[in-house]
Amino acid sequence: MMPMTKKELRKIVDLDKKINCLCGEITRLENDLRYARNVDYRSSIRGSSPSSFDGLIAKICDLRQRVIDEIDVLIGLKAKAKDAIDGLDGVYYEVMSKRYLQGKVWHDIAVEMHYSESHVLRIHGEALKRLSKTE
């Protein structure tokens, strides 16, 4: 079993959230772009010029590339986590897999496993200890 730290696992959760935020920003900019397409550029509306249209497209392209780059990093982290988690068994495997490979929140994991959140967190703590050991 490959050792894995809590910090490395936390990075998976954080990166997943970051990617979701970036995707939300892309969606917002795409909506702005749809509005910008409907603007009559012959009128004198400030801030709605063809250059702002080009700027929106550039921002969207930049954000899409950032998402791709972050997803590449996330895939690598999840592959490492999967190798480590595969060395666990039973409830330890289930909790860690649901949290770090499936991206579920503690409440949902607890409900699915028919445990209290505090019990799931205790299992998680023990699983972290097992993952941090080198064998």
Side-chain angles (χ1 to χ4, degrees):
M1 177 170 52
M2 184 178 204
M4 190 88 185
T5 66
K6 182 177 181 175
K7 186 177 180 179
E8 290 172 308
L9 291 168
R10 183 68 207 169
K11 190 167 182 172
I12 291 171
V13 174
D14 292 343
L15 198 50
D16 199 30
K17 288 178 183 177
K18 182 178 181 180
I19 290 167
N20 286 335
C21 287
L22 290 171
C23 288
E25 180 67 9
I26 290 169
T27 300
R28 187 189 65 76
L29 289 172
E30 287 172 341
N31 286 335
D32 289 351
L33 187 61
R34 281 186 200 88
Y35 173 74
R37 284 184 180 164
N38 294 328
V39 172
D40 180 2
Y41 293 112
R42 293 170 290 183
S43 66
S44 60
I45 299 174
R46 284 193 329 155
S48 295
S49 65
S51 62
S52 67
F53 182 80
D54 293 341
L56 284 173
I57 292 172
K59 283 181 186 178
I60 291 168
C61 290
D62 289 345
L63 283 174
R64 284 183 178 163
Q65 187 57 53
R66 279 184 61 196
V67 168
I68 290 167
D69 294 344
E70 298 290 3
I71 288 172
D72 287 344
V73 172
L74 183 60
I75 288 169
L77 287 171
K78 280 192 173 188
K80 184 178 178 187
K82 184 177 181 344
D83 288 345
I85 292 169
D86 282 347
L88 298 172
D89 57 358
V91 293
Y92 304 111
Y93 172 83
E94 189 174 359
V95 166
M96 300 304 274
S97 178
K98 286 178 184 292
R99 177 68 174 163
Y100 299 106
L101 303 179
Q102 299 173 27
K104 295 185 179 182
V105 296
W106 298 120
H107 174 78
D108 293 344
I109 295 168
V111 168
E112 287 177 18
M113 294 181 72
H114 306 287
Y115 292 146
S116 68
E117 271 187 66
S118 61
H119 187 62
V120 168
L121 292 172
R122 280 191 292 277
I123 293 168
H124 176 261
E126 179 59 32
L128 285 173
K129 289 177 190 172
R130 293 177 183 211
L131 287 177
S132 66
K133 293 180 184 176
T134 56
E135 295 183 14

Coordinates of all heavy atoms in Angstrom, one line a residue, residues 29 32-33 36-37 41 47-62:
L29 N -19.6 33.8 -17.5 CA -19.0 34.5 -18.7 C -19.7 34.2 -20.0 O -19.9 35.0 -20.8 CB -17.5 34.3 -18.8 CG -16.7 34.9 -17.7 CD1 -15.2 34.5 -17.8 CD2 -16.8 36.5 -17.7
D32 N -22.8 36.1 -20.1 CA -22.5 37.5 -20.5 C -22.2 37.6 -22.0 O -22.6 38.5 -22.6 CB -21.2 37.9 -19.7 CG -21.5 38.2 -18.2 OD1 -22.7 38.1 -17.8 OD2 -20.5 38.4 -17.5
L33 N -21.6 36.6 -22.5 CA -21.2 36.5 -23.9 C -22.5 36.5 -24.8 O -22.7 37.2 -25.8 CB -20.3 35.3 -24.3 CG -19.8 35.2 -25.7 CD1 -18.9 36.5 -26.0 CD2 -19.0 34.0 -25.8
A36 N -23.9 39.9 -24.8 CA -23.1 40.7 -25.6 C -23.4 40.5 -27.1 O -23.3 41.5 -27.9 CB -21.6 40.5 -25.3
R37 N -23.7 39.3 -27.5 CA -24.0 39.1 -28.9 C -25.3 39.8 -29.3 O -25.5 40.1 -30.5 CB -24.2 37.6 -29.1 CG -22.9 36.8 -29.2 CD -23.2 35.4 -29.5 NE -22.0 34.6 -29.5 CZ -21.9 33.3 -29.5 NH1 -23.0 32.6 -29.4 NH2 -20.7 32.7 -29.5
Y41 N -24.0 47.1 -31.6 CA -22.7 47.8 -31.4 C -22.7 49.2 -32.0 O -21.8 50.0 -31.8 CB -21.5 47.0 -31.9 CG -21.3 45.7 -31.1 CD1 -21.6 44.5 -31.6 CD2 -20.9 45.8 -29.7 CE1 -21.4 43.3 -30.8 CE2 -20.8 44.7 -29.0 CZ -21.0 43.5 -29.5 OH -20.8 42.3 -28.7
G47 N -19.1 50.0 -22.4 CA -18.8 48.6 -21.9 C -19.3 47.5 -22.8 O -19.0 46.4 -22.5
S48 N -20.0 47.8 -23.9 CA -20.5 46.7 -24.7 C -20.0 46.9 -26.1 O -20.7 46.9 -27.1 CB -22.0 46.7 -24.7 OG -22.5 46.4 -23.5
S49 N -18.7 47.0 -26.3 CA -18.1 47.1 -27.6 C -17.5 45.8 -28.1 O -17.4 44.9 -27.3 CB -16.9 48.1 -27.5 OG -15.9 47.6 -26.6
P50 N -17.2 45.7 -29.3 CA -16.6 44.5 -29.9 C -15.4 44.1 -29.1 O -15.1 42.9 -28.9 CB -16.3 44.8 -31.3 CG -17.2 45.9 -31.7 CD -17.4 46.7 -30.4
S51 N -14.6 45.1 -28.5 CA -13.4 44.7 -27.8 C -13.8 44.0 -26.5 O -13.1 43.1 -26.0 CB -12.6 45.9 -27.5 OG -13.3 46.8 -26.7
S52 N -14.9 44.3 -25.9 CA -15.4 43.6 -24.6 C -15.8 42.2 -25.0 O -15.7 41.3 -24.2 CB -16.4 44.4 -23.9 OG -17.6 44.5 -24.6
F53 N -16.4 42.1 -26.2 CA -16.8 40.8 -26.7 C -15.6 39.9 -26.8 O -15.6 38.8 -26.4 CB -17.5 41.0 -28.0 CG -18.0 39.7 -28.7 CD1 -19.2 39.1 -28.3 CD2 -17.3 39.1 -29.7 CE1 -19.7 38.0 -28.8 CE2 -17.8 37.9 -30.3 CZ -19.0 37.4 -29.9
D54 N -14.5 40.4 -27.4 CA -13.3 39.7 -27.6 C -12.7 39.4 -26.2 O -12.1 38.3 -26.0 CB -12.3 40.5 -28.4 CG -12.7 40.6 -29.9 OD1 -13.6 39.9 -30.3 OD2 -12.2 41.6 -30.6
G55 N -12.8 40.3 -25.3 CA -12.3 40.1 -24.0 C -13.0 39.0 -23.3 O -12.3 38.2 -22.6
L56 N -14.3 38.9 -23.4 CA -15.0 37.8 -22.8 C -14.6 36.4 -23.4 O -14.4 35.5 -22.7 CB -16.5 38.0 -23.1 CG -17.2 39.0 -22.2 CD1 -18.7 39.2 -22.7 CD2 -17.2 38.6 -20.7
I57 N -14.4 36.4 -24.7 CA -14.0 35.2 -25.3 C -12.6 34.8 -24.8 O -12.4 33.6 -24.5 CB -14.0 35.3 -26.9 CG1 -15.4 35.4 -27.4 CG2 -13.3 34.1 -27.5 CD1 -15.5 35.7 -28.8
A58 N -11.7 35.7 -24.7 CA -10.3 35.4 -24.2 C -10.4 34.9 -22.8 O -9.7 34.0 -22.4 CB -9.5 36.7 -24.3
K59 N -11.2 35.5 -21.9 CA -11.3 35.1 -20.5 C -11.9 33.7 -20.5 O -11.4 32.8 -19.7 CB -12.3 36.0 -19.7 CG -11.7 37.3 -19.3 CD -12.7 38.1 -18.5 CE -12.2 39.5 -18.2 NZ -13.2 40.3 -17.5
I60 N -12.9 33.4 -21.3 CA -13.5 32.0 -21.3 C -12.4 31.0 -21.7 O -12.3 30.0 -21.1 CB -14.7 32.0 -22.2 CG1 -15.9 32.8 -21.6 CG2 -15.1 30.5 -22.5 CD1 -17.0 33.0 -22.5
C61 N -11.7 31.3 -22.8 CA -10.6 30.4 -23.2 C -9.5 30.2 -22.2 O -9.1 29.1 -21.9 CB -10.0 30.9 -24.5 SG -11.1 30.9 -25.9
D62 N -9.1 31.3 -21.5 CA -8.1 31.2 -20.4 C -8.7 30.3 -19.3 O -7.9 29.4 -18.8 CB -7.8 32.5 -19.9 CG -6.9 33.3 -20.9 OD1 -6.4 32.8 -21.8 OD2 -6.8 34.6 -20.6

